[in-house]
Amino acid sequence: MDQIDDILNQDLDPTETREWVESLNAVINHDGTERAHFLLERMVDSTRRSGGYLPFDPTTEYVNTIPPHMEARSPGNAAIEWRIRSLIRWNALATVVRANRKPGDLGGHISSFASSATLYDVGFNHFWRAPSAEHPGDLVFHQGHSAPGVYARSFLEGRITEEQLDLFRMEVEGKGKGLSSYPHPYLMPDYWQVPTVSMGLGPIQAIYQAQFWKYLEHRGLIPKSDRKIWCFMGDGESDEPESLGAISLAGREGLDNLIFVINCNLQRLDGPVRGNGKIIQELEGVFRGAGWNAIKVAWGSYWDPLLARDTTGKLRQLMMETVDGEYQACKAFGGAYTREKFFGKYPETAALVANMSDDDIWRLNRGGHDPHKVYAAYHAAVNTKGMPTVVLAKTVKGYGMGAAGESQNPAHNQKKMDTDAIRAFRDRFNIPIPDDKLEEVPYYHPGKDSEEVQYMLERRRALGGSLPQRRRKSDQSFTAPSLEAFEQITKGTGEREISTTMALVRGMNLMLRDKELGPRLVPIVADEARTFGMEGMFRQIGIYAPFGQKYRPQDADQLLYYREDQKGQVLQEGISEAGGMSAWLAAATSYSISNVAMLPFFIYYSMFGFQRIGDLCWAAGDMRARGFLIGGTAGRTTLNGEGLQHEDGHSHLLSGAIPNVISYDPTFSYELAVILQDGTRRMMQEQEDVYYYITVMNENYAHPDLPKGSEEGIVKGMYLFKDGGKAKKNETRVQLLGSGTILREVIAAAELLEKDFGVSSDIWSVPSFSEVRREGFDAERWNRLHPEATQRVPYITGLLGERQGPAIAATDYVREFADQVRAFMPDGMRYTVLGTDGYGRSDSRANLRSHFEVDRYWIAHAALAALAKDGKVNAKDVSRAIKEYKLDVDKPNPLYA
Ligand SMILES: Cc1ncc(C[n+]2csc(CCOP(=O)(O)OP(=O)(O)O)c2C)c(N)n1
Ligand SMILES: [Mg+2]
């Protein structure tokens, strides 16, 4: 940077410089700025060609990007809008302060919204369209901590009652009327559309939403429109890798339906965001470099005359030199301080404010608090073509809170205000609350017929209705294909060996053939389509490319060539699981956000799913996403050669923790078919707000036919795969349970037990230990609450109730996974769980299964050990198994190995 500054700041011949600048000004006046820009680019090109080193300077002066004479003027009534904004500010503050006076330590935030009130108001009053017959509606990602301000607006609009404001953060007591702490569609399904409070998730989702809207347009699923996505975020939030990690995609794909508004109040939770630098400049450089249109809104209108009088350029220089920590101090300490420490630095700048009072200096506002500047920026943003826009608005954290928080380091968590601070706030915003009522901090509503409310309502009517609002169901439902349509994968494969991954791809292909549903499928990959054998889809349905394929692909003469297409159906998101997941989220919530139900499949390495992008998966539940997440190459020992970082033995524990995720670990292709069919029915036909996590494996083996009548059990998560028949008297019997590929080891263990020890088995396939556990606890809870009613029998208890012997479960997941159902084992039935606890490593599947003690021998041995404990066989039999199966009893526990 120093080098750039040196080069740019050296002036060998100021007179010559002035002449050039004058010529340029002449061009600007005569032919406009675009012509001037053209000439400059030509000159830069010419210098470069002569070998000149021209460093790229990604930033511009520290002033507003839009000069005053280019500002679009707001058609609104500025005075009424100020009144409305003040009322909203007051009610937001009252909501939080009152909540904090209640028992329960409810918390809440004032200072984030205090800094962004104008940024929201201008949007609500003039830009954001609700869905209506005329328009599909914009989508706004609100900064999570600004929620009280959004509620306060809805209160004035009459959508939220005073009683509800008093139930802020009291969603249990509120029984459906409470207001959630932050935007949560799960808890307020008619209101919030997107959850944002986990920093970074809003911005990355917004980018992929914008991409997905273009995708829907290109594929002809929605008409082209000028609808926009507005994403608000904090300047501190921009440090999250998710916030900025995908911005180059938006630039590359020219997402002009996307607008970021970054509330640059220069502070985060603990203190300054860039005390020793300037966050706005930094972000400007980053976004411009990524192909965005960056609009800085640093200074409010009161600065315009000063800047106009800054003929020496000293004020601009000072603005550039001053760091954010100092800017923050100016707002904290007031006009006199600012005169001395800021303007006082140079005689020229001191002179500029010599005739102004300290109060006048204090009133020199920041751009983000000036509705005119904000309007102009938004106006430019919505009219920008071919690129996304970021509005970098400079604001004051805790604006209006005075000594109670304004520009103070601890402002973020300030939620209590004493009566003096509240009085000052009331006076500053002119709220008609009498002194004797101040103590209560009452809400203030000017009445439905007041000028303010009428104005607000008229504005919202003109923009299609109130916001936020969320659609619960899409108008169109789809009939899921019947199970017969999946015949190719419900039928056994005979001798042929395939993996469940291949079965899944076949299943998707069968669904793609469905005339109605097929076009709604959205296959999503993060550069792993070949890993999962999906490359056939490249040619067949094409890879989405917003500008089409501009080159002849290297493999063009092959059948399955790499075909990119503007109408492509596959979303290839490159090596970004967060990107793939965000795209999936956009598709999975399209039923709500665009009234176009889609059925996304995101297929990824299971290890890089819930573990790596778990917070997005959690947000997916919050958003009531519907779709399939497919954890490929799953299982700690099934993905054999890849080793510790790749071998997943726990993603099911993570997915199982998300309430509306239905998880399965199927073994056979027919199980997968039943799950796909049922999932499609629930999500696309019944429009249930659930999503599916299915693990599929890359081990090839033969698959049997769908056993008659097993469909219901598969869906419930457990069914009898092989009945050992009616147990004879004195027969030794075990119950063997398993899922995924390890079920095959379980089946083999049953043969060993029969052959070597005369022990017979009933074999249970348990495609979802997680669902079986949920049902079990649900029944148990119900029974506890209804002690005198006929008691419910948990599903698994019922299945195993009449059966004999100890039960042994083995899976390719950690023990906890199969252990989930322990509580529901019939009384007296011993339960042993084998699993793959410990770090994975690379080796053959056989060696890994031996290492983790989940192969047929270890399972047979565990069964005998359990039988011995039950007194059904002797300890000697167990020793014989150890010897015959060559089990190393001294090997370390794989958990610690
Ligand atoms: C992922 C995540 N980490 C931490 C937090 C806790 N947190 C909430 S607000 C905040 C500071 C936000 O600062 P900024 O983004 O600048 O927003 P502002 O309130 O200043 O507008 C933090 C750290 C969070 N919500 N999400
Ligand atoms: Mg901030």
Side-chain angles (χ1 to χ4, degrees):
M1 237 17 211
D2 285 352
Q3 199 187 4
I4 300 177
D5 287 348
D6 282 353
I7 292 171
L8 296 177
N9 291 336
Q10 277 169 18
D11 194 347
L12 299 179
D13 186 347
T15 316
E16 187 184 42
T17 309
R18 200 171 48 248
E19 284 167 8
W20 278 81
V21 171
E22 278 166 8
S23 314
L24 192 68
N25 283 337
V27 173
I28 292 171
N29 290 337
H30 198 257
D31 299 316
T33 49
E34 269 154 33
R35 170 75 186 150
H37 187 93
F38 174 82
L39 289 176
L40 285 172
E41 286 294 325
R42 271 301 173 84
M43 286 187 221
V44 169
D45 259 3
S46 173
T47 324
R48 280 212 179 105
R49 259 178 233 145
S50 322
Y53 170 63
L54 289 180
F56 167 64
D57 187 358
T59 55
T60 62
E61 282 186 308
Y62 196 55
V63 293
N64 292 350
T65 306
I66 305 174
H69 69 277
M70 303 277 284
E71 286 168 0
R73 296 301 293 176
S74 168
N77 179 329
I80 295 187
E81 289 184 16
W82 184 85
R83 293 272 316 132
I84 293 170
R85 191 157 52 251
S86 300
L87 296 176
I88 292 176
R89 284 181 189 284
W90 173 264
N91 287 310
L93 176 134
T95 305
V96 175
V97 172
R98 288 168 67 97
N100 270 286
R101 291 182 178 175
K102 292 196 200 121
D105 224 358
L106 294 172
H109 300 85
I110 313 168
S111 57
S112 300
F113 179 69
S115 66
S116 55
T118 308
L119 301 176
Y120 286 106
D121 244 32
V122 174
F124 274 119
N125 284 334
H126 300 288
F127 290 93
W128 303 337
R129 294 151 300 184
S132 67
E134 283 77 47
H135 198 272
D138 297 315
L139 174 64
V140 183
F141 288 71
H142 301 267
Q143 237 184 305
H145 297 78
S146 293
V150 183
Y151 296 140
R153 163 170 278 269
S154 294
F155 167 64
L156 291 184
E157 285 182 14
R159 300 176 67 205
I160 281 179
T161 61
E162 215 172 291
E163 180 200 357
Q164 281 181 289
L165 289 181
D166 262 346
L167 289 168
F168 173 57
R169 295 193 166 213
M170 298 190 79
E171 301 187 79
V172 175
E173 181 138 330
K175 295 193 172 69
K177 282 192 190 157
L179 301 179
S180 56
S181 48
Y182 304 115
H184 293 302
Y186 190 81
L187 297 167
M188 294 177 71
D190 297 314
Y191 194 84
W192 295 115
Q193 293 180 280
V194 273
T196 45
V197 77
S198 179
M199 315 247 112
L201 300 194
I204 192 166
Q205 282 190 54
I207 291 171
Y208 287 87
Q209 278 284 354
Q211 182 195 48
F212 193 70
W213 286 6
K214 296 262 183 192
Y215 166 96
L216 289 176
E217 285 181 5
H218 281 132
R219 291 196 51 217
L221 291 165
I222 55 172
K224 281 201 174 4
S225 80
D226 64 349
R227 68 195 290 224
K228 306 278 181 209
I229 290 160
W230 293 75
C231 176
F232 281 73
M233 70 159 150
D235 47 359
E237 184 175 3
S238 70
D239 282 338
E240 290 284 2
E242 290 89 346
S243 300
L244 302 186
I247 60 172
S248 60
L249 165 87
R252 189 165 67 241
E253 299 199 355
L255 300 178
D256 52 12
N257 53 351
L258 178 63
I259 297 161
F260 271 20
V261 181
I262 307 190
N263 173 22
C264 297
N265 54 23
L266 315 185
Q267 288 176 242
R268 51 192 178 205
L269 195 151
D270 284 343
V273 175
R274 294 287 184 273
N276 299 306
K278 279 198 286 300
I279 187 64
I280 290 184
Q281 293 301 97
E282 180 180 323
L283 291 173
E284 179 189 34
V286 172
F287 277 92
R288 273 169 43 112
W292 288 55
N293 171 34
I295 302 179
K296 289 191 287 194
V297 189
W299 311 111
S301 306
Y302 294 122
W303 288 89
D304 287 344
L306 284 186
L307 281 162
R309 276 165 39 221
D310 179 34
T311 47
T312 63
K314 272 286 182 213
L315 178 56
R316 285 158 193 259
Q317 182 189 330
L318 177 62
M319 285 171 158
M320 189 64 119
E321 285 167 359
T322 306
V323 293
D324 283 353
E326 195 53 48
Y327 278 120
Q328 184 193 339
C330 286
K331 281 298 169 197
F333 297 126
Y337 180 95
T338 307
R339 182 195 303 280
E340 184 195 334
K341 301 283 184 193
F342 179 76
F343 290 107
K345 190 165 172 194
Y346 298 110
E348 293 91 335
T349 47
L352 280 175
V353 292
N355 291 333
M356 290 167 70
S357 69
D358 290 349
D359 282 348
D360 289 340
I361 291 177
W362 172 244
R363 268 194 290 276
L364 289 169
N365 55 347
R366 289 187 181 167
H369 294 295
D370 184 330
H372 306 293
K373 300 288 185 195
V374 174
Y375 181 91
Y378 286 4
H379 185 272
V382 297
N383 288 298
T384 298
K385 295 269 182 292
M387 65 202 307
T389 296
V390 58
V391 174
L392 299 164
K394 188 171 178 172
T395 61
V396 179
K397 191 140 181 170
Y399 184 81
M401 290 169 71
E406 192 150 353
S407 212
Q408 313 278 313
N409 271 338
H412 189 84
N413 286 334
Q414 182 65 300
K415 35 197 153 262
K416 301 190 173 137
M417 282 171 83
D418 62 23
T419 306
D420 284 346
I422 290 168
R423 181 179 302 109
F425 193 92
R426 176 202 66 181
D427 294 344
R428 182 147 165 191
F429 296 107
N430 206 8
I431 311 295
I433 301 283
D435 278 345
D436 62 346
K437 284 270 192 303
L438 270 183
E439 190 65 41
E440 302 164 25
V441 206
Y443 301 114
Y444 181 78
H445 196 293
K448 199 158 87 323
D449 300 323
S450 63
E451 205 186 0
E452 293 91 342
V453 172
Q454 283 304 310
Y455 182 91
M456 289 173 90
L457 293 177
E458 182 283 317
R459 288 281 69 225
R460 287 316 313 166
R461 261 195 303 275
L463 291 161
S466 281
L467 284 178
Q469 55 166 285
R470 182 181 176 279
R471 159 186 289 280
R472 287 195 188 215
K473 290 189 191 304
S474 66
D475 289 333
Q476 188 187 8
S477 281
F478 289 82
T479 311
S482 67
L483 202 53
E484 283 77 63
F486 290 92
E487 201 195 339
Q488 250 192 49
I489 52 170
T490 52
K491 246 185 14 221
T493 58
E495 297 285 290
R496 249 173 346 106
E497 300 198 330
I498 67 164
S499 65
T500 41
T501 307
M502 287 160 80
L504 170 89
V505 175
R506 275 186 204 166
M508 286 172 70
N509 277 319
L510 294 172
M511 292 169 81
L512 280 166
R513 275 190 220 155
D514 186 297
K515 276 214 164 49
E516 296 283 310
L517 189 68
R520 301 306 178 105
L521 252 63
V522 186
I524 303 170
V525 287
D527 198 30
E528 294 283 3
R530 290 183 201 278
T531 311
F532 305 121
M534 291 167 65
E535 62 272 32
M537 288 183 189
F538 290 170
R539 196 203 53 118
Q540 186 201 341
I541 51 175
I543 299 163
Y544 173 67
F547 308 113
Q549 190 159 32
K550 299 177 179 171
Y551 61 96
R552 184 175 186 275
Q554 170 274 326
D555 51 3
D557 53 357
Q558 297 184 12
L559 191 62
L560 304 180
Y561 70 99
Y562 197 84
R563 185 172 75 85
E564 300 192 64
D565 190 331
Q566 212 175 37
K567 290 185 182 314
Q569 193 166 348
V570 175
L571 282 172
Q572 164 64 275
E573 298 296 1
I575 310 173
S576 168
E577 283 74 17
M581 186 63 195
S582 299
W584 182 90
L585 274 169
T589 53
S590 172
Y591 72 91
S592 169
I593 285 164
S594 298
N595 194 16
V596 177
M598 302 297 287
L599 187 60
F601 283 78
F602 177 26
I603 300 109
Y604 55 84
Y605 262 107
S606 69
M607 195 65 156
F608 304 135
F610 284 83
Q611 169 164 290
R612 175 148 188 159
I613 47 163
D615 210 15
L616 283 165
C617 300
W618 184 253
D622 189 347
M623 278 168 89
R624 298 167 176 268
R626 304 173 187 163
F628 290 102
L629 287 184
I630 309 290
T633 61
R636 188 87 91 208
T637 68
T638 307
L639 175 60
N640 49 334
E642 293 284 317
L644 183 152
Q645 186 74 70
H646 285 70
E647 292 163 0
D648 165 33
H650 54 276
S651 63
H652 274 286
L653 292 186
L654 304 173
S655 72
I658 303 179
N660 42 0
V661 176
I662 318 287
S663 314
Y664 288 99
D665 180 34
T667 308
F668 296 119
S669 64
Y670 65 78
E671 295 178 352
L672 191 64
V674 169
I675 296 161
L676 285 179
Q677 198 280 335
D678 194 58
T680 306
R681 180 189 62 79
R682 287 182 68 179
M683 297 187 289
M684 295 299 278
Q685 192 170 313
E686 310 301 331
Q687 297 213 39
E688 274 186 61
D689 294 339
V690 291
Y691 77 87
Y692 279 65
Y693 176 54
I694 307 175
T695 40
V696 292
M697 281 78 63
N698 59 348
E699 183 174 354
N700 292 327
Y701 45 84
H703 296 249
D705 283 335
L706 169 69
K708 275 213 170 54
S710 59
E711 294 89 334
E712 194 190 332
I714 294 172
V715 168
K716 286 178 142 176
M718 177 167 172
Y719 67 97
L720 186 60
F721 176 73
K722 188 177 151 280
D723 194 340
K726 199 165 152 43
K728 292 184 219 67
K729 209 164 168 233
N730 292 334
E731 182 187 316
T732 319
R733 173 69 61 98
V734 287
Q735 304 301 311
L736 298 181
L737 285 66
S739 75
T741 46
I742 298 301
L743 175 63
R744 297 183 62 251
E745 293 298 323
V746 169
I747 296 167
E751 285 169 21
L752 292 177
L753 285 167
E754 181 76 59
K755 180 166 67 71
D756 299 336
F757 294 90
V759 172
S760 65
S761 321
D762 296 316
I763 304 176
W764 302 89
S765 173
V766 192
S768 185
F769 278 99
S770 310
E771 284 299 292
V772 172
R773 180 250 305 170
R774 285 178 175 176
E775 193 277 342
F777 278 119
D778 191 46
E780 189 198 77
R781 171 181 175 278
W782 192 91
N783 291 344
R784 233 183 0 258
L785 295 172
H786 303 86
E788 293 186 40
T790 314
Q791 299 283 283
R792 263 172 65 181
V793 180
Y795 177 57
I796 182 171
T797 319
L799 292 182
L800 294 175
E802 301 294 306
R803 306 267 163 180
Q804 246 187 37
I808 291 89
T811 73
D812 217 1
Y813 289 84
V814 292
R815 281 184 172 76
E816 252 177 290
F817 178 53
D819 210 51
Q820 297 183 84
V821 301
R822 176 177 297 281
F824 317 110
M825 286 293 146
D827 288 344
M829 188 178 279
R830 183 179 300 284
Y831 187 44
T832 306
V833 170
L834 302 181
T836 55
D837 300 61
Y839 280 119
R841 57 209 58 204
S842 44
D843 209 315
S844 67
R845 288 190 182 117
N847 284 347
L848 288 174
R849 287 170 185 170
S850 163
H851 169 81
F852 282 107
E853 305 169 9
V854 293
D855 69 12
R856 58 197 66 183
Y857 306 108
W858 287 95
I859 298 170
H861 162 256
L864 289 163
L867 285 166
K869 282 210 154 191
D870 282 353
K872 303 265 177 65
V873 300
N874 298 320
K876 281 203 173 15
D877 294 313
V878 188
S879 297
R880 177 157 75 87
I882 291 174
K883 196 157 154 253
E884 281 186 19
Y885 300 151
K886 299 191 179 65
L887 305 181
D888 176 0
V889 296
D890 295 320
K891 82 195 250 299
N893 181 346
L895 173 63
Y896 306 116

